[in-house]
Amino acid sequence: MPAGLDVLTLALLAVFGLAGGIGITAVGPGGVLPTIGMFLLTGLAPPVVAGTAIATHVVTGVLGTAAYTRSGQLKDPATRRVAVLLAAAALVATPLGVLLNTRVSGREFGSLLACAVALTGVLVLLRERRQGPGRAPATLPATRTVAMGASVAVAAGLFGLGGPLLCVPLLVVCGTPVLAALGAAQAQSVVIAGTGTVVYALNGSVDWALAAVVGVPELIGVVIGWRIAHAVPAGRLRYALIGALLLMAPYLALHG
């Protein structure tokens, strides 16, 4: 079995993957769930947790990008511009996050992950209050977009995330429509996950069997989440996610 884990643990990790995939395309901050699951349930070292988690986001990022291209968001020139700038920043900044991961202990990783999870909960809450029907899209300056993309990529490389976790709330808080933010973040996640996976794999920090256990349900969740984002009012789901993230943050800090 992957990493010597029992059947129940693998089933729980698959559930984390499914929930993460739904969150990635429905609300953005879902990609942290596979990282949380592996950190809490496997006892793996931080580089293996992050490397295995980020590997699951390669195909989910491609699928999410294809989905938001099909639904039109990534065909819009303004959204494509944001996506390209975010992706370019990620190509440079993601390896820095991977490097930082190799410098932290398990306790430090847990504490930093707890901070990222709590920050995400706050950002999603701010997003809920900032977004509204009929609000005109904002045009982000290129420098701000690149700085945002680099910051997100460093965090994603450190924790093994795809990018939408922080990128979607940040974009919406800055005035980007939700679906456009989701589409741009999916495109960035392909670069983050691809670059991060290569660097972690070169260091021997990817458990490919475990990545499959988490990643296959995650792919299914990506399709479900995309449908939710377009067909179902997701306010309740977002508030549930906010509550779960804020409640989980102190446990992650203590568990580390």
Side-chain angles (χ1 to χ4, degrees):
M1 290 186 184
L5 303 174
D6 58 42
V7 173
L8 177 59
T9 300
L10 292 174
L12 289 173
L13 289 169
V15 171
F16 270 96
L18 178 66
I22 293 172
I24 286 170
T25 44
V27 295
V32 70
L33 294 179
T35 299
I36 290 174
M38 282 185 266
F39 180 68
L40 294 179
L41 299 175
T42 67
L44 294 171
V48 182
V49 170
T52 304
I54 207 167
T56 71
H57 297 309
V58 175
V59 181
T60 60
V62 171
L63 183 58
T65 299
Y68 279 97
T69 300
R70 178 181 177 184
S71 56
Q73 283 73 41
L74 283 171
K75 294 178 181 177
D76 174 68
T79 304
R80 282 205 309 269
R81 170 184 171 274
V82 171
V84 168
L85 290 172
L86 292 173
L91 188 62
V92 176
T94 303
L96 176 58
V98 177
L99 177 63
L100 290 175
N101 178 282
T102 64
R103 305 298 175 89
V104 299
S105 65
R107 179 170 294 279
E108 292 167 339
F109 183 82
S111 298
L112 290 170
L113 181 59
C115 292
V117 167
L119 175 61
T120 301
V122 172
L123 287 173
V124 177
L125 182 60
L126 288 174
R127 187 183 88 174
E128 282 296 298
R129 295 185 175 182
R130 283 293 301 272
Q131 71 182 14
R135 183 163 57 85
T139 301
L140 293 177
T143 52
R144 184 184 300 179
T145 305
V146 170
M148 183 188 303
S151 301
V152 167
V154 170
L158 172 60
F159 298 117
L161 311 174
L165 169 74
L166 293 172
C167 193
V168 173
L170 285 171
L171 285 171
V172 174
V173 167
C174 290
T176 304
V178 177
L179 291 179
L182 284 163
Q186 297 304 321
Q188 184 199 26
S189 74
V190 176
V191 177
I192 289 175
T195 305
T197 298
V198 169
V199 179
Y200 276 114
L202 289 174
N203 293 328
S205 297
V206 179
D207 185 326
W208 295 106
L210 184 57
V213 169
V214 176
V216 172
E218 194 175 357
L219 278 175
I220 297 170
V222 165
V223 177
I224 296 171
W226 174 69
R227 292 187 178 276
I228 289 174
H230 287 82
V232 178
R236 290 184 181 180
L237 179 62
R238 284 190 286 268
Y239 279 117
L241 181 62
I242 291 168
L245 291 173
L246 294 179
L247 286 172
M248 205 172 293
Y251 181 73
L252 286 168
L254 293 172
H255 183 83

